[in-house]
Amino acid sequence: MNVLLGLGGSDESVKTLRRTIDRTQEVGDDLTVVIVAKPESKRSQDETYELTVDHLEDAGLENATVEKLEGDPGSALVDYAEQGEFDELVIGGGTLSPMGKIQLGPITEFVLLNAPTTVKLVR
C-alpha cells in the first residue's frame, strides 16, 4: 500500500508516527510523511521534521519520503493527498469526552470529510 502520514507537532503525532512505522515494517508499505505547520503545537515544524527523520532512520526506513507543507494544515494535507496515488491517509486525532464519545478537532474533521482516500484515525 502507498500510505500518506500527516503529522503536526503534538505528542499524539509522535505516537501516530511510531505506530505507522511499526505497520510499515510489518507489511512493507510505501510511506510518505508530510508535516503541517500548527503554531499551537508542542513542537515546531522543523523539530517535528527532524524527529520524523530520526525515527525513520532508526527503523531502517531511509526510503520513506518526508516533506513539509505550508498553509492551512487541513487543506494542505487534503491537497497533497489529491495529488498523489495514496491508498490510505493516516492522521492522529480525537479525544474522548467525559461521556466517552470521540471529539474531533477542526483539522481532523476537515481531513475526514474531504480526503480523497481512506483515512485511518490513530488515537
Side-chain angles (χ1 to χ4, degrees):
M1 260 191 354
N2 193 5
V3 177
L4 175 62
L5 171 60
L7 298 177
S10 67
D11 289 338
E12 189 175 83
S13 288
V14 175
K15 180 176 90 172
T16 302
L17 173 63
R18 288 181 183 139
R19 289 181 65 184
T20 304
I21 286 173
D22 290 345
R23 162 128 175 114
T24 299
Q25 290 176 310
E26 287 175 22
V27 298
D29 291 338
D30 292 323
L31 180 61
T32 300
V33 182
V34 291
I35 300 161
V36 297
K38 291 176 61 180
E40 70 277 4
S41 290
K42 183 176 181 177
R43 294 170 192 83
S44 71
Q45 192 177 30
D46 290 334
E47 290 171 321
T48 304
Y49 180 90
E50 292 302 322
L51 180 83
T52 300
V53 169
D54 290 345
H55 275 71
L56 291 169
E57 286 176 356
D58 290 347
L61 297 175
E62 289 87 11
N63 61 341
T65 303
V66 183
E67 295 187 34
K68 296 179 198 174
L69 299 182
E70 300 299 324
D72 176 70
S75 297
L77 188 53
V78 169
D79 289 345
Y80 194 93
E82 287 174 345
Q83 295 172 18
E85 294 184 19
F86 299 101
D87 301 306
E88 183 177 68
L89 169 58
V90 180
I91 57 173
T95 58
L96 292 180
S97 73
M99 298 296 291
K101 305 274 183 175
I102 189 169
Q103 296 176 317
L104 303 176
I107 296 169
T108 303
E109 184 176 336
F110 181 86
V111 172
L112 286 169
L113 294 174
N114 294 288
T117 187
T118 301
V119 178
K120 178 179 181 180
L121 181 64
V122 177
R123 302 188 297 124

